[in-house]
């Protein structure tokens, strides 16, 4: 993704940068990386975000630019995506019982509900008990500097 795909609102000061990393203890299984990469591409394109994201078996590292609202929406989508991976048994603490991902067909309906913002009762109960992603995802927001000339 290129920052040139995003028209930033520099005059109003609404442009921001999100810097983040996410390193679950179990990492991201190799068989999930392509789908997870597609998630990032789709989310960033739909929200008109620019920047770079690296996805590997160890985790995710990203720098994105856009409006505050769009960056916050991306964070919400990312947390939901990570919740889905966790519920599939793909990411999480090494002490979790599940060490292999469940069959994607078993969790497809759950994934669709969560990614579309419709949480089922089991998911709501689990996320209400603790924010699963708070131990792995660290995201910081800062205003885009407009005082530095672009060459």
């Amino acid at each position: 993704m290129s920052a040139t795909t995003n028209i930033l609102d520099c005059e109003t000061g609404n442009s921001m940068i999100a810097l983040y990393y996410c390193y679950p203890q179990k990492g991201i299984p190799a068989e999930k990386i392509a789908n997870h990469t597609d998630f990032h591409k789709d989310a960033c394109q739909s929200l008109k975000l620019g920047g770079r994201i690296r996805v590997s078996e160890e985790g995710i590292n990203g720098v994105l630019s856009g409006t505050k609202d769009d960056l916050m929406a991306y964070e919400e989508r990312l947390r939901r995506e990570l919740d889905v991976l966790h519920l599939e048994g793909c990411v999480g603490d090494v002490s979790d019982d599940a060490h292999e991902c469940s069959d994607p067909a078993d969790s497809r309906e759950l994934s669709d509900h969560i990614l579309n913002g419709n949480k089922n009762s089991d998911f709501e109960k689990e996320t209400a008990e603790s924010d699963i992603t708070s131990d792995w995802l660290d995201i910081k927001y800062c205003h885009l500097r407009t005082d530095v000339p672009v060459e």
Side-chain angles (χ1 to χ4, degrees):
M1 271 171 273
S2 168
T4 58
T5 62
N6 186 22
I7 299 172
L8 298 175
D9 187 7
C10 295
E11 287 75 33
T12 64
N14 194 26
S15 300
M16 297 191 78
I17 295 174
L19 308 157
Y20 73 94
Y21 64 90
C22 176
Y23 293 103
Q25 287 183 350
K26 288 197 305 190
I28 300 172
E31 68 270 12
K32 292 287 184 177
I33 289 179
N35 286 343
H36 193 61
T37 300
D38 289 342
F39 157 78
H40 290 283
K41 287 179 184 177
D42 294 344
C44 289
Q45 286 175 350
S46 71
L47 293 168
K48 297 178 180 71
L49 300 176
R52 299 207 188 282
I53 302 168
R54 298 185 188 274
V55 179
S56 70
E57 289 183 43
E58 292 79 19
I60 311 159
N61 187 312
V63 177
L64 296 175
S65 61
T67 66
K68 180 179 181 180
D69 290 342
D70 290 340
L71 290 169
M72 298 293 281
Y74 172 81
E75 179 182 359
E76 182 178 333
R77 290 182 190 184
L78 176 57
R79 287 186 187 277
R80 287 182 184 164
E81 170 74 2
L82 293 170
D83 287 338
V84 169
L85 289 173
H86 180 332
L87 291 174
E88 290 176 349
C90 296
V91 299
D93 298 330
V94 290
S95 61
D96 289 346
D97 292 335
H99 292 288
E100 298 292 326
C101 296
S102 63
D103 183 348
D106 294 340
S107 58
R108 186 172 297 121
E109 185 176 331
L110 174 63
S111 300
D112 290 343
H113 281 290
I114 294 170
L115 292 175
N116 291 321
N118 304 317
K119 299 177 182 178
N120 71 16
S121 60
D122 291 339
F123 179 78
E124 287 174 345
K125 287 177 189 173
E126 186 166 345
T127 55
E129 292 172 9
S130 69
D131 180 6
I132 299 165
T133 61
S134 65
D135 290 339
W136 324 319
L137 178 63
D138 186 26
I139 187 163
K140 304 289 185 225
Y141 296 92
C142 59
H143 289 282
L144 185 65
R145 290 185 61 179
T146 58
D147 61 330
V148 178
V150 178
E151 295 180 16

